[in-house]
Amino acid sequence: MSAVEQVPIGGRSFARRVLHSPSAAAGSVVVLFILAAALLAPFIVPYDPNLQETANRLMPPSAAHWLGTDGFGRDILSRLVFGARPTLLLVLVVVLLMAPLGIAVGIFAGFFGSTIERILMRVTDIVMSFPRLLLAFAFVAIMGPGLINGALALALTSWPAYARQARVETAILRRSDYLAAAEMVGIRGVRLLWGHVLPLVLPSAIIRLALDLSGIILAAAGLGFLGLGVRPPTAEWGSMVAEGTQVIFDQWWVAAVPGLAILVTSLAFNLLADGLRDILDPRHG
């Protein structure tokens, strides 16, 4: 099936297909659980995540503290739930900046071609030639640590892959009878790109985005681990792992618990992405 034959999936049909895909269903359940826990964090955590009780520092898991306490006596379970908030917020900001920028560059380059394509794709190649994670770390080091700066750094280094993919698909569509017919009835310019090119480019972009989400989570955790993420004492999974490494041989749970949260979240997004590929990509399933 060609790119022109891909049509957007209706809401109910799409939800049905997700439920019938084991990997997509499993990933969706875990992702929704994490999102719900993050949104309802103030109402479900047993303690203030920033409350320090030095008398209870480095306590093992118990009835009072289900996942133990860290080096400052803070409840790890409470910090784990609250720590999902900055991680997911950073992922959301990156997605809202990265995917639209890359898709827009790719569509303009593929549709207009000529000089515009050469300029846009050379810029894309330059950005893509740098190691993404190292470039993001450099940006954060220059701009300073923080959630927004980390999101901007990751977004500005992650869009080229979407641009190249969208450019190839748009170039194929530009020569298709589908767009020729649309132009014959008077649909041109932005209306043509928005209403006829974008819907056909989106499915593959969504698949790539879902596959990239786990990598973005790991990158966000890496920023936090190196102290380039949110500022203390705000709970964040990467910084929690960094704190736990100082006592990992004696109080292993301090680092293991947030590390496991990162693993489970990344796995859930990978499962969801695998299911979405089967649903949205006609070459699979």
Side-chain angles (χ1 to χ4, degrees):
M1 183 180 292
S2 67
V4 176
E5 295 173 295
Q6 296 180 33
V7 294
I9 298 175
R12 292 184 179 179
S13 174
F14 180 77
R16 228 179 283 118
R17 293 193 180 197
V18 169
L19 293 175
H20 282 85
S21 171
S23 59
S28 299
V29 169
V30 177
V31 170
L32 289 175
F33 176 80
I34 295 171
L35 288 174
L39 290 173
L40 299 175
F43 307 103
I44 63 176
V45 297
Y47 299 95
D48 181 344
N50 297 323
L51 177 63
Q52 300 184 15
E53 296 180 342
T54 53
N56 295 327
R57 64 186 301 271
L58 299 176
M59 289 182 60
S62 63
H65 300 278
W66 289 4
L67 297 178
T69 61
D70 64 8
F72 295 95
R74 298 172 296 195
D75 182 64
I76 292 179
L77 175 59
S78 300
R79 290 184 62 78
L80 185 73
V81 177
F82 268 92
R85 288 184 153 197
T87 300
L88 295 177
L89 180 59
L90 185 145
V91 170
L92 177 63
V93 174
V94 171
V95 167
L96 292 178
L97 293 175
M98 169 186 69
L101 175 60
I103 293 172
V105 169
I107 288 178
F108 275 99
F111 187 81
F112 293 106
S114 188
T115 304
I116 294 178
E117 179 181 18
R118 285 195 292 271
I119 294 174
L120 291 177
M121 296 319 295
R122 293 302 77 77
V123 173
T124 300
D125 292 339
I126 291 172
V127 177
M128 209 167 190
S129 65
F130 292 97
R132 187 177 73 172
L133 199 55
L134 291 179
L135 190 58
F137 287 162
F139 278 158
V140 174
I142 293 171
M143 296 185 294
L147 179 68
I148 300 301
N149 288 346
L152 285 173
L154 292 175
L156 291 175
T157 56
S158 302
W159 62 266
Y162 297 85
R164 296 185 73 172
Q165 179 173 291
R167 175 252 175 190
V168 171
E169 295 184 353
T170 304
I172 295 173
L173 286 169
R174 186 180 59 184
R175 299 186 294 269
S176 68
D177 295 337
Y178 174 72
L179 290 192
E183 290 178 332
M184 286 178 63
V185 297
I187 301 175
R188 293 184 176 85
V190 175
R191 186 181 170 197
L192 180 67
L193 297 179
W194 178 264
H196 293 74
V197 176
L198 180 61
L200 297 177
V201 172
L202 270 182
S204 57
I206 291 174
I207 295 170
R208 175 176 285 278
L209 180 60
L211 289 169
D212 282 350
L213 285 177
S214 61
I216 295 172
I217 289 173
L218 293 175
L223 290 174
F225 184 86
L226 295 175
L228 300 175
V230 297
R231 299 180 183 275
T234 303
E236 193 272 330
W237 291 344
S239 60
M240 290 174 66
V241 173
E243 294 169 3
T245 56
Q246 302 174 15
V247 292
I248 194 169
F249 294 107
D250 298 317
Q251 288 82 25
W252 55 268
W253 59 86
V254 181
V257 169
L260 183 62
I262 295 171
L263 171 65
V264 170
T265 305
S266 298
L267 177 61
F269 278 115
N270 275 329
L271 289 173
L272 179 59
D274 186 65
L276 289 177
R277 183 187 60 183
D278 294 338
I279 295 169
L280 297 176
D281 192 337
R283 294 168 297 181
H284 295 83

